[in-house]
Amino acid sequence: MEKKFLPQQFIYEFDCSDSCIKTIEKYSLKINWEKCKPRMGVNKFKGGRAHYGKDYSLKNEPFLAEFHKWLEECLFEVKEDIKYYKDNISNLLVSQSWLNCSYKGNVHHYHTHPLSILSGILYLTEPAYTIFSFDSIYKNNFLFPREHFKEDYCHSAKKGKLIIFPSKLAHHVGPHLEDQPRITLSFNTWFKGS
């Protein structure tokens, strides 16, 4: 018997510069997280908090312009690597970005990013990981209509790593176990132009 691997999708990883990380950290220190919008929890666990910045996106913060310029350069690189996107999409821009904060015991619920093409996470603290879930290739609704055939992939990274992935790829983070808060920056994208 011979087995062949059929790839489903990729997660792209980039290194963020120290200067951009320091700029975002400086910005995040000014945030009063208790006044920020709470995220959804799961079971007995509370969700963390999200800070969207000026006009519901950090992209509108002049202080973070250099970072968002770099983000869009990374997006272009990813778009050029995906044949379907390279052939059919002129460009992708960051449509929204925000900061997330999870305290000890907080979770980031299972979710996707609707109204987005590619999404991303920049890890600003460690441990830095995200659990991605996708339908198993063995899922069969006719044989097992009530069964959830999901496969999980835990992507581990380091502080300063940026990952970009398909927005429809479901993901979550389990309970944060550290005393120091978990901070990430997330973003969505959309087509450039009309």
Side-chain angles (χ1 to χ4, degrees):
M1 174 174 69
E2 213 177 292
K3 286 167 65 174
K4 303 269 184 189
F5 177 68
L6 301 174
Q8 294 186 358
Q9 62 258 314
F10 293 96
I11 294 172
Y12 295 85
E13 193 173 75
F14 296 86
D15 289 310
C16 188
S17 71
D18 288 340
S19 65
C20 280
I21 295 290
K22 286 181 177 141
T23 300
I24 298 166
E25 286 175 334
K26 189 175 177 182
Y27 178 89
S28 71
L29 289 174
K30 297 176 184 175
I31 299 169
N32 180 349
W33 289 104
E34 293 305 314
K35 291 187 175 182
C36 294
K37 181 179 179 181
R39 289 192 318 255
M40 188 185 315
V42 178
N43 298 329
K44 63 181 179 180
F45 299 103
K46 289 183 178 179
R49 302 274 174 163
H51 172 77
Y52 294 92
K54 185 179 179 183
D55 297 328
Y56 212 65
S57 179
L58 295 177
K59 188 175 180 185
N60 299 321
E61 298 283 355
F63 195 63
L64 299 174
E66 178 189 339
F67 167 72
H68 284 89
K69 181 177 182 273
W70 173 75
L71 262 188
E72 290 180 348
E73 290 169 4
C74 295
L75 280 169
F76 182 79
E77 204 173 318
V78 171
K79 182 196 80 75
E80 288 295 296
D81 187 65
I82 301 170
K83 181 183 180 348
Y84 303 111
Y85 289 2
K86 180 178 182 177
D87 295 345
N88 297 299
I89 297 174
S90 63
N91 214 348
L92 289 173
L93 298 177
V94 173
S95 57
Q96 182 184 36
S97 59
W98 63 97
L99 284 165
N100 301 291
C101 178
S102 294
Y103 291 105
K104 193 169 190 173
N106 289 165
V107 297
H108 202 140
H109 65 286
Y110 182 85
H111 65 286
T112 61
H113 291 235
L115 291 175
S116 180
I117 311 302
L118 295 171
S119 293
I121 302 167
L122 173 64
Y123 299 102
L124 297 166
T125 57
E126 291 183 21
Y129 75 93
T130 302
I131 302 167
F132 292 92
S133 299
F134 48 91
D135 286 338
S136 168
I137 59 172
Y138 302 106
K139 178 180 178 179
N140 188 316
N141 289 334
F142 298 108
L143 293 175
F144 312 107
R146 291 182 189 86
E147 298 295 325
H148 298 285
F149 282 79
K150 293 282 183 193
E151 305 220 8
D152 287 341
Y153 164 71
C154 183
H155 185 82
S156 294
K158 297 276 185 197
K159 176 182 175 177
K161 291 287 186 182
L162 166 74
I163 61 170
I164 297 176
F165 53 90
S167 298
K168 71 177 192 90
L169 187 57
H171 53 287
H172 68 282
V173 180
H176 183 59
L177 303 176
E178 305 296 321
D179 291 328
Q180 294 299 319
R182 177 184 194 266
I183 309 287
T184 59
L185 185 146
S186 299
F187 67 90
N188 289 330
T189 64
W190 197 245
F191 306 107
K192 180 180 181 179
S194 56

